Each structure stands twice: as C-alpha cells, then as structure tokens.
Amino acid sequence: MATTSSDVRVLSHLIGGDRAAPAGDLIDSVNPADRTDVVARVPLASAETFVDAARAAKAAQPGWAAVPAPVRGQVIAAIGQLVRSNKEALSRLVTREMGKPYAESLGEVQEVIDTCDFFLGEGRRLYGQTVPSEVGDKQLFTFRRPVGTLAIVTAANFPIAVPSWYIIPALLAGNAVVWKPSEMTPAVGDAFAEIMSRAGLPHGVLNLVHANGVNTYDGLGAALEAGLVDKVGFTGSTEVGRAISELAGRFLQTPILELGGKNPLVVAADADLDLAVEGALFGGFGTAGQRCTSTGTIWVHQDVHDEFLRRFTAAVENAVIGDPTQDVLYGPLIAEAYLRRYESYLDWIGDHHTVSGSTSTGQITADAPRKGFVGDPADGFYAHPVIVDGVRPGDDLYAKETFGPLLGVGTYQHLDEAIELANGHGYGLSSAIYTNDPKTAFAFANGISAGMTSVNNSTSGAEAHLPFGGNGLSGNGSRQSGIWVLDAVTRWQSLNWDYSGRLQKAQMDTAVLPADLDFRL
Ligand code: UN1
C-alpha cells in the first residue's frame, strides 16, 4: 500500500489529557512488509516533554488512587471491552506496523483482553490481611498502596500485549503512568492510549510520550531527580536494562525489568521428535525469532541429534515465509536496522559450525530467493531462516541473543550436561524440555535457572496470567502478570491499631505463659 505524504497521520503525545501539538523532528513509522507504506509520522519528544508528562501523572495520581478499586476495575473492564470490539482493527495495525503474521497479532491483542479480564476482578479483591496482634485490644492489618507514578518503556516486538502487562495492573492499583512505546510502533501505542482514554480514565492518569532512547533516558533521569517517577518498567535489551537499573538504583528504586533471553530447548532421547520439531519451529522462527521468549539454542541428546535435525531442517525448509497478512510462519523483521543486525550476526557462524539445510542466509531477495515465498521479497525486510549446528560454549552463538531467525543447535550426553549448557550463558527467561519421563522433566525444571519452563511445549507462548520474567541477564527477578505483578505496582503498608487506651509495647508487654521445658516423657 503506497502512501503519499499528505494522507499520513501525524501522531501526537498525550499529556494531562491534551493531545500535545507535535514539536521537533518527525520520523516515519514504516510498514516493514511494504517500505512504501508509511503508517504514521511521529514527533520525538525532548527530555523536558518527558518530564512534563511525569509531572502530569504525578498531579493526577492521588485523585485516581482515591477512586475506589472496584470502580477502577470498571474502567479496566471498559478498556477490555473496547479492545475486544476493536480486535481486528488493532490486529491489522499490529501486523502493518510491526510485521508479525495476522494470526499472531490476533493472539497478541487477545493477550491484552485476557490481561484486562484478569485485573478487572482484582479491583474487587486487591486483598490485604487482618493479622493477630501479640497484645490484646489491638488489631493489625495490611494494605496494598499504589507505588505512585510509573514510567513504562516498551519494545516493538509486542507493541500492545507487553505494555498492557505493565499499564493495566498499574492503573488498577491506583497508579498513574507515563508510557513511552517503541519509536518503531508508535501508531499501535497511539491507538491503545486512545482506547484507554475513552474508557473513563481521568486526564493525566495515562500519558503517552513518543521519544528516542537518549531523550527517554535523560527525561527519566530528570523526572526521577524531581521526584516525579516512583517506579520504572522496562522491556528491551539487557544492556539498556542495566543502564536503567543503575539509574533507578541511584534513587533507591527497583525497576521492573523484562530483558533478553537465550532460551534453551532441550530434546531428550525419549522425546516425541515430531512434537519437538513443531515446538522448535514455532519457538525458533515464529515472529522471525523476535520474541524475548524465542528459542536461542536447541540442545539435542546425541542419540537423536541426527534424526531430530533432519526432521527439523525439513520443517524449516517447508515453512512458508512472506506477506504477514497471509498464512505464513513469519513475515519481515520489524525494521531494516534489525535485518542489518541479523546479517552482521551471520559472522558468528564459524568453521566448526554447519549451516543445516538450505545454505541461503541473509536477506531474501530475487538473487537469494526463498522457495514458496508469499509476495515480493523486495517489498520488505525479509530474512532467511538459518539453523547452525555444532554450537558450543565459547561461541558467540552460544552466549548472545540473536533476536532474529538465526538459531543454534548443539548436543549433550547427560541431563546434567544439558542443564549446564542451558544455564551457562547467564540468561534465564524461558526454557523448554521435550521428554516423556517425569523424572527428566522435573530434574530439568529444578536445575534450570529460568523464570519460565515448559515441558513438551515451546519456549514461547506463555499464558497471560502466569508470572512472566527472568533471572540473571534476563531481569532482576521482577515478575509481570497474574497476581505476582501486584507486588511490583503496589507497596505493602502495615497498620497497627491499638484501642487499649495505654501504650502497649510490642515484645516487652507481651504475655508469656509458663511452660515446663524440662519435661521429658
Ligand atoms: C516478549 O517477547 O517480550 O510468551 C513477550 C510469549 C508471549 C509474550 C512474549 N506471550 O511468547
């Protein structure tokens, strides 16, 4: 779809309920499957604009926290309803702006609906406890209090589902939000912000700022310094996560971090190989390998390595790649920069490696065609799937995330070795094992250091109400989704209420009943 400059929408920020007029440079958000299709033009904010948004959030937050939680839950219900009634339009936009196949976009938008469904009920729970006191005429309680203002910075690969994991529980718990979506998916960000605003959120409770990384970092620093941000949430690379964590740490804050992964998929000798092939195909090459949960390396027991690789290579060769509006395994990479980065990672393939199957690597073009490609590869940023066999510790391919359709395979002899290989790079987001032996499955789950593990399912595809997050280089232990994220978006307050009319000192005025501790049977 070619777009002329006159009919391209120019997006704006949303600050304190105002659609702030675009100032500064505009950049194009381009459809990665059709580089002539400009989805939107987006203004990039200065650091000061980011601070303005944080100020608007800070001002709006107490009023929002004063709204009873069940009523806030109704707003979450309305957001869910609006997302549901716009599901197809939102999914088309996700595919157009980010390039994932339409079926996956429908799944992603469903994940937002699921998140709203879960948290609207939390509005009627948000339970605290009543706790017995050690003295009489005194009651103890715990309450969840909102953290305050959250600054949320998200990535392009899940432009609406992952933001919803932060924003929906944060709002439900009575926080205000400044959201900075990826510059590569601003139109999806704009659409989701518009939906949330129409669902009844008071002005300033949700603010949207489009900005590049440098201005976001500077704006975040200034907003933290001014006391306008109480919690940072970040999804993206480990390197940027480390910088954000250091910044937040200076203000004694613990951010929510969802970082990279090098997610291992282990195929045991007793595995159902066809099932493992299906899981490896989706985990390794679904979304063109651009999920945080994408499979990084497949570790195959040496007894089944050759057979697994034969079947897996055939499945990859037969997979349909191309136009993401059609029924394909994957579409283009999110942006040209991602394609160029993937091409540079091909240098990681060394002499001791074997590229399995088709030797075409790099960009899919007329000169390097792909069998069965749907559409014209020259239209977008399409990459060949690459399987590299013979990966071992010490290789870049062993240790580094590829975030593209470039996947390693290696072998192991004993489960302990597989676990060591699966942990050795220090990432710890997702993981999977294919086996029919419960002992093997539980030994793996126990030994792997990962926030998520699957048995006989892919590394990708976590359900929206289970804890999501990683260990080591994949995060700082924070978890999103389900009840677990509530600990990130609220703080526990304990209340002790003494109605005895005198000062009862804990530990000192507590009765001790006599016990005969010398008693023996
Ligand atoms: C991500 O890549 O950041 O488990 C999120 C999955 C999806 C979410 C991935 N439900 O693959």
Side-chain angles (χ1 to χ4, degrees):
M1 194 199 318
T3 344
T4 60
S5 57
S6 57
D7 49 43
V8 177
R9 245 187 92 211
V10 178
L11 305 176
S12 51
H13 313 296
L14 175 65
I15 298 176
D18 285 335
R19 281 288 184 177
D25 295 345
L26 293 178
I27 61 160
D28 288 350
S29 166
V30 174
N31 178 343
D34 176 0
R35 50 180 104 211
T36 65
D37 176 25
V38 179
V39 181
R41 207 148 270 159
V42 61
L44 293 185
S46 62
E48 289 72 37
T49 303
F50 190 95
V51 177
D52 289 345
R55 193 168 290 113
K58 195 75 184 170
Q61 192 268 330
W64 177 239
V67 173
V71 179
R72 296 197 301 260
Q74 286 171 23
V75 175
I76 302 301
I79 295 173
Q81 242 168 307
L82 281 170
V83 172
R84 189 175 271 119
S85 51
N86 287 281
K87 184 174 177 181
E88 286 74 20
L90 279 168
S91 303
R92 279 195 300 275
L93 188 58
V94 169
T95 291
R96 182 176 168 210
E97 194 168 48
M98 180 275 167
K100 66 175 67 175
Y102 183 63
E104 280 189 41
S105 295
L106 286 169
E108 165 155 12
V109 174
Q110 184 58 45
E111 206 159 335
V112 181
I113 298 167
D114 296 344
T115 298
C116 291
D117 280 354
F118 185 89
F119 284 105
L120 71 91
E122 201 54 47
R124 291 191 183 274
R125 278 187 301 271
L126 218 58
Y127 292 147
Q129 295 104 351
T130 57
V131 179
S133 170
E134 63 191 42
V135 296
D137 292 336
K138 186 179 174 193
Q139 296 291 340
L140 308 180
F141 308 89
T142 66
F143 295 90
R144 283 192 184 277
R145 303 294 185 202
V147 168
T149 302
L150 276 90
I152 309 289
V153 179
T154 51
N157 63 336
F158 274 82
I160 187 164
V162 169
S164 81
W165 294 354
Y166 291 99
I167 296 171
I168 297 300
L171 294 177
L172 183 277
N175 299 286
V177 170
V178 177
W179 176 31
K180 204 292 282 181
S182 164
E183 309 94 285
M184 282 175 271
T185 52
V188 175
D190 182 83
F192 189 35
E194 190 61 32
I195 280 178
M196 288 190 274
S197 308
R198 304 265 173 162
L201 285 178
H203 289 166
V205 172
L206 174 80
N207 304 277
L208 176 77
V209 177
H210 300 286
N212 65 22
V214 172
N215 288 356
T216 303
Y217 183 83
D218 291 348
L220 203 52
L224 283 160
E225 187 70 53
L228 300 173
V229 166
D230 303 291
K231 188 92 170 176
V232 183
F234 172 74
T235 294
S237 70
T238 300
E239 190 194 350
V240 176
R242 196 190 299 275
I244 286 189
S245 187
E246 283 174 5
L247 177 63
R250 269 183 246 155
F251 299 90
L252 308 181
Q253 291 188 19
T254 316
I256 310 170
L257 296 176
E258 203 253 274
L259 309 177
K262 189 74 191 176
N263 311 299
L265 184 149
V266 174
V267 181
D270 71 327
D272 175 333
L273 288 190
D274 287 330
L275 196 63
V277 164
E278 260 189 284
L281 185 67
F282 176 61
F285 294 113
T287 330
Q290 299 169 112
R291 293 189 186 217
C292 305
T293 55
S294 291
T295 304
T297 311
I298 305 175
W299 298 106
V300 193
H301 191 276
Q302 60 179 15
D303 291 354
V304 291
H305 167 269
D306 293 356
E307 181 56 19
F308 171 82
L309 191 60
R310 190 185 65 74
R311 292 192 210 179
F312 180 52
T313 303
V316 173
E317 291 199 324
N318 289 327
V320 181
I321 295 170
D323 178 354
T325 65
Q326 307 299 311
D327 185 15
V328 293
L329 175 64
Y330 71 80
L333 298 195
I334 299 171
E336 184 163 11
Y338 284 28
L339 177 62
R340 302 297 159 230
R341 191 179 63 180
Y342 147 91
E343 284 173 333
S344 72
Y345 291 170
L346 295 172
D347 292 345
W348 293 347
I349 303 172
D351 292 343
H352 62 283
H353 294 134
T354 316
V355 173
S356 185
S358 154
T359 45
S360 295
T361 60
Q363 186 168 2
I364 302 176
T365 61
D367 293 337
R370 160 93 191 165
K371 183 177 65 116
F373 187 88
V374 179
D376 181 352
D379 288 346
F381 312 123
Y382 292 98
H384 283 284
V386 181
I387 308 167
V388 181
D389 189 30
V391 169
R392 58 193 193 205
D395 296 349
D396 282 330
L397 273 173
Y398 172 76
K400 297 183 181 167
E401 185 176 36
T402 65
F403 214 71
L406 171 59
L407 176 68
V409 177
T411 54
Y412 74 94
Q413 287 186 42
H414 305 292
L415 187 66
D416 287 351
E417 189 191 350
I419 292 171
E420 211 176 297
L421 288 163
N423 284 333
H425 41 63
Y427 284 100
L429 187 62
S430 184
S431 58
I433 187 163
Y434 281 79
T435 178
N436 286 308
D437 178 359
K439 269 196 204 157
T440 304
F442 277 109
F444 179 74
N446 193 37
I448 188 80
S449 173
M452 296 169 280
T453 194
S454 290
V455 179
N456 295 333
N457 204 324
S458 146
T459 53
S460 285
E463 297 189 28
H465 51 289
L466 269 181
F468 189 103
N471 305 334
L473 298 174
S474 297
N476 56 357
S478 56
R479 293 291 180 264
Q480 295 177 272
S481 296
I483 53 170
W484 300 274
V485 71
L486 292 175
D487 285 334
V489 295
T490 62
R491 289 200 179 123
W492 283 111
Q493 181 189 41
S494 70
L495 172 77
N496 75 71
W497 186 339
D498 194 318
Y499 46 91
S500 65
R502 60 186 192 284
L503 176 65
Q504 302 193 84
K505 299 194 213 82
Q507 296 91 41
M508 289 177 264
D509 297 338
T510 307
V512 180
L513 299 184
D516 177 6
L517 297 178
D518 295 328
F519 174 73
R520 300 285 179 276
L521 278 176

